Amino acid sequence: MSRILLAWELGTGFGHLGPFLGLAPRLIKRGHELHIAAREIAGAVKAVGSLPITVHQAPLCLNTYGGLPDPPLNYAEILMRYGYLEPAMLRGMMTAWSSLIRAVGADVVIADHAPTALLAARGLPVARAIIGGSFNVPPAVTPTPNMRPWVTVPPARLADSDRRVIGVINDVLYPDDHLDALYRIFDGAARFFSGAPELDPYGARPEEDYLGLQALSTGSAVPEWPSGEGPRVFAYLNPNYRHLDRALQALAACGARVLAYVFGGGTAPVRRYHGARLHFSPDPADMHRVTAECDLCVCHGNVGTTLRMLSGGRSVMVLPMHLEQFLLGRAVERAGAGRVVHPEEAEPDIAGALGAMLGDNACAGNARALAARYAGSSVGTMTERAVARIEALISQGAGPSP
């Protein structure tokens, strides 16, 4: 029996647990002991449910830092916000991660947006892997690239940001383990990216690095669609989306039969917008059934919902709330399988974008073609392949530090 530790350090939302939990039942059946070090433990315990997985609090940077470039434009500028400009803080986090890895007795550390866990694991006899969104792993270029391509950035700014963060990392690492580039945080780690090469915001990487269009299914409520004729649109929305009213107005007026779920949104949206053509689900809907029954999905571009819909050949309209969602939406749009509304538009034309998608047969056809391209990569097949790779990592051991 081997011990496997999932490390979740950065980013919010329980989509960070989805890829690992998709593999968990098979890993447990194979006799492995699973642990999760979670950024958000209350939700992690709920997501784990009855699975025999031990949940720990992940070591985190709780400091806030003023005077940083805003918004962050590359990976280095994200890390700056989480202790990577303060050697004492980074040393403390790495020490805490090392202690946790040792206490668990982990044979492999699998990181979902957990760069500090990977740095800590470099000095320990454990194998390393990465799972989750490819956004979390910058490409092997220096400096790490501008993540907001619509913003003109002097190259010197990106290089300086990388240089500053690398300097702090090397202050903490042993001299013979220093980094010469920021992307080398991820050297020596096997990769299990959610999605497919076409959806990678940094461009396609080796095909074996991707888990395919599989996503952990959530929810159990039976979808109850409005009666009548017309296409079915499923909307999965966050109550904190700043254009929520605009989105619900567009959905109510689009002429389709709409079923919406507003996560934790209470009754206010229901009272305001419920009607003959727009129904609200009080609980998370069974996504297997929703995907099979809908014609189009409107969501914020969270990885799980987006991949679930694309795997079923359904086009997706993305209303992003943060950068990772926007970049995934752009990739979906490039693949011709959906549209994305720019998150920085003050008054986005959501109604116009939705109307265009409802009348776009080519978009729906492209989504079906994308699903067909990966139809042979079933959830079971990809799970078995991923589990086999993880077990191979364990059997090989940590190997030399990169």
Side-chain angles (χ1 to χ4, degrees):
M1 178 184 68
S2 298
R3 296 184 180 91
I4 299 171
L5 173 66
L6 175 77
W8 167 29
E9 177 186 3
L10 306 180
T12 59
F14 303 112
H16 286 280
L17 300 178
F20 183 73
L21 291 179
L23 304 178
R26 184 60 180 155
L27 289 167
I28 292 167
K29 188 174 181 180
R30 297 276 295 171
H32 301 293
E33 180 183 310
L34 305 189
H35 295 254
I36 293 176
R39 180 178 181 86
E40 301 170 14
I41 54 172
V45 169
K46 184 176 180 180
V48 166
S50 61
L51 289 171
I53 300 176
T54 304
V55 177
H56 310 263
Q57 175 65 62
L60 303 174
C61 173
L62 300 181
N63 289 356
T64 56
Y65 300 94
L68 297 177
D70 192 48
L73 295 181
N74 69 351
Y75 190 72
E77 293 182 5
I78 291 176
L79 295 184
M80 288 177 180
R81 287 154 169 76
Y82 296 98
Y84 277 72
L85 285 182
E86 185 182 356
M89 174 57 70
L90 183 58
R91 182 175 290 106
M93 291 192 298
M94 286 181 58
T95 300
W97 274 112
S98 296
S99 298
L100 178 58
I101 294 167
R102 288 191 181 97
V104 166
D107 297 290
V108 59
V109 174
I110 303 179
D112 190 317
H113 214 351
T116 316
L118 288 175
L119 286 172
R122 292 168 71 93
L124 300 174
V126 296
R128 300 177 298 276
I130 302 157
I131 198 168
S134 53
F135 168 83
N136 304 329
V137 181
V141 297
T142 298
T144 50
N146 176 19
M147 299 181 296
R148 300 175 189 268
W150 63 95
V151 177
T152 301
V153 185
R157 170 174 165 176
L158 303 178
D160 181 65
S161 295
D162 274 24
R163 179 189 57 77
R164 293 172 66 192
V165 169
I166 291 169
V168 172
I169 293 172
N170 287 341
D171 275 350
V172 177
L173 293 176
Y174 290 110
D176 61 354
D177 201 22
H178 280 184
L179 307 185
D180 59 5
L182 196 55
Y183 68 82
R184 295 201 181 279
I185 290 174
F186 307 97
D187 279 359
R191 300 179 180 202
F192 302 90
F193 291 143
S194 300
E198 296 94 325
L199 303 177
D200 194 319
Y202 300 118
R205 290 179 258 196
E207 191 167 349
E208 61 270 19
D209 287 350
Y210 299 89
L211 292 170
L213 301 181
Q214 62 168 306
L216 185 68
S217 184
T218 59
S220 58
V222 175
E224 297 183 5
W225 302 94
S227 59
E229 301 298 320
R232 291 173 170 177
V233 175
F234 177 69
Y236 189 168
L237 301 173
N238 188 306
N240 297 317
Y241 179 50
R242 64 179 180 138
H243 301 301
L244 180 63
D245 281 322
R246 185 183 291 263
L248 290 172
Q249 288 167 9
L251 289 163
C254 72
R257 292 180 288 159
V258 180
L259 177 64
Y261 176 63
V262 181
F263 178 76
T267 60
V270 179
R271 290 197 304 268
R272 193 173 304 138
Y273 294 105
H274 180 86
R277 304 290 283 184
L278 172 55
H279 289 184
F280 288 83
S281 177
D283 300 299
D286 181 337
M287 292 301 289
H288 281 295
R289 289 192 57 169
V290 168
T291 304
E293 296 173 6
C294 76
D295 298 286
L296 166 68
C297 175
V298 177
C299 66
H300 298 301
N302 52 307
V303 172
T305 302
T306 303
L307 294 185
R308 165 64 59 190
M309 289 294 163
L310 292 175
S311 70
R314 303 300 185 256
S315 51
V316 183
M317 177 172 157
V318 178
L319 308 176
M321 294 180 64
H322 55 69
L323 180 61
E324 180 178 0
Q325 294 173 338
F326 174 64
L327 294 178
L328 178 57
R330 286 188 72 207
V332 171
E333 192 171 75
R334 284 197 305 270
R339 291 188 178 223
V340 62
V341 173
H342 200 291
E344 295 182 3
E345 288 186 27
E347 297 183 357
D349 184 10
I350 296 174
L354 180 58
M357 279 200 69
L358 285 168
D360 190 349
N361 292 328
C363 189
N366 290 333
R368 289 192 295 270
L370 183 65
R373 196 174 309 146
Y374 293 99
S377 302
S378 68
V379 172
T381 300
M382 299 305 289
T383 297
E384 288 295 334
R385 190 179 301 168
V387 167
R389 287 183 63 199
I390 291 170
E391 291 181 336
L393 285 175
I394 295 169
S395 66
Q396 292 163 8
S401 181

